[in-house]
Amino acid sequence: MLIEKLPTGIDGFEHISNGGLPKGRTTLLSGTAGSAKTVFASQFLASGIQQYQEPGLFVTFEELPDDIRRNMNGFGWDINAWEADNLWSFVDAAPRPMENEVIAGDYDLGGLLARIEYIVQKNKIKRVSLDSIGAILNRFHDTHIFRRELFRISMALKTMGVTALMTAERSNEYGEIARNGVEEFVADNVIILRNALENEKRRRTIEILKFRGTFHQKGEFPFTIDPKIGIIVIPISAIELAQHSSNTRISSGINEVDKMCGGGFFRDSVILVSGPTGNGKTLLATQFISGGVKNDEKCLLFAYEESREQLFRNAIGWGIDFEKYESEGRLKVICEYPEVTSLEDHLVRIKNSIAEFRPNRVAVDSLSALERVSTIRGFREFVISLTSFIKHYEIAGLFTATTPTLMGGTSVTESHISTITDSIILLRYVEMFGEMHRGLTVLKMRGSTHDKDIREFTIDNNGIHLGKTFNNIVGILSGNPQHIVSENEDRLGGMFNDPKIPPI
Amino acid sequence: MSEFRFKLYITGHTPRSDLAIYNLRQLCDTKLKGNYKLEIIDILENPEMAEHERILATPTLIKLSPAPYQRITGDLSNPDRLISGLDLDNYLHEF
């Protein structure tokens, strides 16, 4: 028989669980202190009420109901109101400091079970959260009875037909599933929440360890806690490469660049612009935005390197009036320091902004600035997730990336993103006879032919202007340009024409 | 001498419940010379009352008076724990 899934209503969780929690079963949710177990357990009930009108029961073994009511109010979950409508119920099993429990002889948790059963029947409960079961053992100390009673509760929950979530404490991010080594045996399904410290940065992930008899996505997925929504799981590998592809070309905002790309970017492509600092990346992004607005498209610009004032002033210098665009509702500029929040939260903010504003074009300047607030792994996941999100909306996205050295080289950003992007434009400094020149080349243009030259470009009041190709220069892309005198050039060319050299 | 008042929470008449009742009556009849009141509450019949006292484990014995308020969990088959848990030591020495 197929095991049905119950949609939790937690953003992104349905993706990684292939539809939700196994219906009518108990799932163990294990995590270290501060790994958001209580939030998850509460959100499971809250979204059940909000999205599916399913009444929920919260059995609390640690926190007092009043604390939970207050703590969860921040997410906009009005537990008091739900309690009045019998949509949310508490079974208060939290210890009080004054009560000293004396044990004299054998016992069971029949009292607890009877209370749960009573409320489940009375209020037609569909979802039950038990938080956290390890606290029972802290009170009663007997592991043998704990195991026996947990098993009994889990069987009883199954008989009641509710879908239950039991939380358990664990001591290490990577170690035994739960602290007491008992909890995992009573549940058919185990989910692990992690809050690991990596390079001085916290990274929250969720992993479905097992779902007995049914399928789920494997491995850890990052998640974040939005102060208004709660937990948002970011499903990376669950993203499908199923987006449409269009042949419609859009202008990059610079005619000569359009020509180099064989007629402009594709409407739903992701473009990476890589170059050293001060080489014209922000300008290229600005012109990309302006090109969109001029074409009556809506544009969204995320700036992580410059302040709003700086950005607007620079744009004016190139004859582009962002302020006017914004007042016309065709542009939205979001300026933020990367450090204000975690990368996962940035991702959620970007996604929300795109979903709200519904732009035709998105520019991110620069992606590398965001690299600072994350681990390498987290950043890779961010880039993949953002790219696929933009592709999902079938809009054009332009990301800039700063190379680590002035003369080029590859950055982490590029190595993570280069295979995902449809087009790559490289900007480079070229040193020639004691002068710095700027060079631009289209390295990749998926689905189209493009100009392979490295062209010199200049910047004036109107923006970028492409000039001639660099002749007699090699090694521009490797960051080590060398001028070849014509004698050498002739010799190099002649080498391959020499019939005396046998082919290898 | 003030009267002892107890509440005993049980879940149905299981052997464990019956044992707790027997052990408690045994103690009260011998040590307290019958000077007590015992109310037995079956949670299966009155779950709201368990909610009020936040009963988890059964059987649970609650001593309401004399002060202090005490809770004892189990079938009360350990008389030493029961006597110390109920603070009867001091009381019994008065005799």
Side-chain angles (χ1 to χ4, degrees):
Chain A
M1 198 181 76
L2 214 65
I3 292 162
E4 244 186 288
K5 296 263 177 71
L6 177 89
T8 54
I10 295 173
D11 214 334
F13 183 77
E14 266 68 84
H15 273 289
I16 67 162
S17 59
N18 292 9
L21 291 178
K23 198 173 181 178
R25 300 199 163 203
T26 299
T27 301
L28 185 77
L29 181 72
S30 191
T32 51
S35 63
K37 297 185 296 293
T38 306
V39 176
F40 195 103
S42 308
Q43 195 173 349
F44 171 57
L45 301 188
S47 22
I49 295 167
Q50 288 177 319
Q51 300 176 30
Y52 304 98
Q53 289 78 46
E54 293 180 347
L57 166 66
F58 198 102
V59 185
T60 173
F61 294 101
E62 261 170 345
E63 288 182 67
L64 299 180
D66 235 15
D67 291 336
I68 295 171
R69 282 183 199 113
R70 205 171 311 130
N71 295 343
M72 299 305 154
N73 204 19
F75 295 113
W77 306 331
D78 192 347
I79 296 178
N80 276 317
W82 290 335
E83 279 181 286
D85 293 338
N86 283 337
L87 287 169
W88 182 297
S89 311
F90 274 111
V91 163
D92 178 3
R96 301 297 193 273
M98 303 304 289
E99 284 169 13
N100 178 24
E101 205 92 26
V102 178
I103 312 289
D106 194 15
Y107 58 89
D108 56 45
L109 294 181
L112 174 69
L113 206 51
R115 288 164 67 191
I116 294 175
E117 262 173 341
Y118 168 66
I119 291 181
V120 164
Q121 276 170 18
K122 189 175 78 132
N123 292 342
K124 300 184 176 59
I125 301 288
K126 296 277 182 293
R127 303 178 177 214
V128 178
S129 285
L130 303 104
D131 181 55
S132 104
I133 51 169
I136 303 174
L137 191 60
N138 293 343
R139 263 172 96 177
F140 297 112
H141 312 294
D142 190 317
T143 316
H144 170 71
I145 296 181
F146 179 59
R147 182 196 298 255
R148 185 189 73 196
E149 291 307 308
L150 266 191
F151 192 66
R152 206 165 84 130
I153 291 173
S154 144
M155 289 305 289
L157 288 169
K158 208 179 252 181
T159 313
M160 289 178 235
V162 296
T163 307
L165 202 58
M166 267 186 192
T167 71
E169 284 262 325
R170 63 203 301 250
S171 342
N172 297 308
E173 294 297 355
Y174 295 92
E176 57 193 8
I177 292 174
R179 180 175 290 163
N180 302 305
V182 174
E183 294 93 333
E184 67 260 38
F185 297 108
V186 303
D188 299 321
N189 317 297
V190 178
I191 297 172
I192 293 178
L193 297 181
R194 291 191 177 91
N195 187 22
L197 191 61
E198 207 179 304
N199 297 333
E200 300 180 3
K201 283 161 197 145
R202 284 278 172 199
R203 193 176 118 87
R204 293 185 184 280
T205 63
I206 178 167
E207 178 189 9
I208 299 173
L209 196 68
K210 68 166 182 180
F211 266 6
R212 193 167 280 165
T214 169
F215 294 100
H216 60 85
Q217 303 284 322
K218 294 184 177 57
E220 289 181 46
F221 295 87
F223 75 88
T224 181
I225 302 172
D226 185 280
K228 288 200 189 97
I229 301 166
I231 288 174
I232 298 173
V233 180
I234 300 161
I236 283 152
S237 70
I239 294 161
E240 293 165 32
L241 269 174
Q243 62 271 2
H244 301 286
S245 232
S246 97
N247 286 321
T248 315
R249 302 269 190 163
I250 57 166
S251 170
S252 65
I254 304 164
N255 286 336
E256 289 137 311
V257 173
D258 289 347
K259 269 184 221 152
M260 282 188 83
C261 295
F265 302 138
F266 286 113
R267 197 196 64 204
D268 52 3
S269 65
V270 171
I271 305 115
L272 177 71
V273 176
S274 155
T277 176
N279 198 312
K281 294 188 303 298
T282 304
L283 173 57
L284 205 81
T286 306
Q287 291 199 275
F288 173 71
I289 292 290
S290 143
V293 173
K294 281 183 186 147
N295 197 29
D296 265 339
E297 295 173 33
K298 282 176 87 179
C299 301
L300 190 56
L301 172 64
F302 295 95
Y304 297 103
E305 285 187 339
E306 289 167 284
S307 72
R308 223 181 138 77
E309 286 70 28
Q310 242 179 327
L311 204 68
F312 280 45
R313 191 196 60 205
N314 294 348
I316 285 282
W318 297 311
I320 294 164
D321 193 349
F322 274 175
E323 208 152 332
K324 183 165 150 263
Y325 293 168
E326 271 205 324
S327 65
E328 289 166 357
R330 289 188 286 172
L331 171 69
K332 192 171 175 187
V333 178
I334 297 172
C335 280
E336 266 182 328
Y337 265 113
E339 278 77 12
V340 292
T341 182
S342 73
L343 197 58
E344 284 79 13
D345 286 322
H346 276 302
L347 181 60
V348 171
R349 289 182 192 196
I350 293 175
K351 284 182 171 180
N352 288 346
S353 307
I354 292 175
E356 250 172 53
F357 191 65
R358 290 294 187 143
N360 305 93
R361 296 183 181 204
V362 175
V364 178
D365 183 44
S366 73
L367 217 48
S368 341
L370 291 170
E371 215 176 286
R372 295 203 297 266
V373 293
S374 169
T375 60
I376 288 179
R377 196 182 151 179
F379 185 70
R380 191 178 58 218
E381 288 169 353
F382 165 80
V383 168
I384 296 172
S385 185
L386 178 60
T387 313
S388 48
F389 185 78
I390 286 178
K391 293 200 150 235
H392 175 76
Y393 273 83
E394 296 175 19
I395 56 182
L398 184 135
F399 305 150
T400 67
T402 310
T403 49
T405 64
L406 272 184
M407 298 308 286
T410 46
S411 65
V412 180
T413 310
E414 288 167 45
S415 52
H416 287 332
I417 195 181
S418 51
T419 54
I420 314 164
T421 53
D422 301 298
S423 308
I424 299 178
I425 294 176
L426 293 185
L427 306 181
R428 289 291 184 266
Y429 284 117
V430 184
E431 186 196 333
M432 270 167 65
F433 310 114
E435 267 182 33
M436 273 300 199
H437 295 256
R438 290 187 167 97
L440 178 151
T441 186
V442 178
L443 195 67
K444 172 180 171 185
M445 184 72 201
R446 199 172 267 165
S448 165
T449 55
H450 61 91
D451 201 335
K452 271 95 178 168
D453 292 341
I454 302 175
R455 303 271 296 270
E456 183 172 358
F457 73 92
T458 51
I459 297 174
D460 66 10
N461 310 346
N462 295 317
I464 289 177
H465 295 285
L466 291 192
K468 58 184 191 334
T469 52
F470 285 99
N471 281 322
N472 300 347
I473 304 259
V474 296
I476 294 173
L477 294 186
S478 59
N480 189 20
Q482 282 182 348
H483 195 254
I484 302 181
V485 289
S486 19
E487 196 188 311
N488 274 351
E489 202 185 358
D490 292 344
R491 198 169 58 86
L492 278 171
M495 271 169 69
F496 298 101
N497 296 332
D498 196 343
K500 280 174 208 160
I501 298 170
I504 300 161
Chain B
M1 178 179 87
S2 58
E3 189 188 50
F4 279 81
R5 283 180 53 225
F6 297 112
K7 269 186 184 173
L8 182 66
Y9 288 86
I10 56 168
T11 40
H13 282 274
T14 61
R16 198 173 287 136
S17 309
D18 292 342
L19 186 61
I21 296 167
Y22 173 83
N23 284 334
L24 182 64
R25 288 210 188 276
Q26 192 79 1
L27 178 94
C28 293
D29 288 339
T30 55
K31 307 281 187 194
L32 303 178
K33 306 192 166 49
N35 180 28
Y36 69 97
K37 260 194 190 141
L38 171 63
E39 188 186 351
I40 296 171
I41 296 152
D42 187 346
I43 296 176
L44 295 184
E45 286 166 21
N46 296 299
E48 301 98 324
M49 295 186 79
E51 199 56 51
H52 176 69
E53 283 284 357
R54 300 189 320 279
I55 302 294
L56 240 68
T58 42
T60 290
L61 175 68
I62 291 177
K63 185 189 75 171
L64 296 167
S65 70
Y69 172 97
Q70 286 281 3
R71 280 169 88 123
I72 295 168
T73 302
D75 59 19
L76 312 178
S77 55
N78 185 332
D80 293 341
R81 285 269 186 87
L82 179 59
I83 288 168
S84 70
L86 286 175
D87 247 354
L88 289 183
D89 284 327
N90 297 329
Y91 178 79
L92 292 175
H93 288 152
E94 287 172 23
F95 293 98

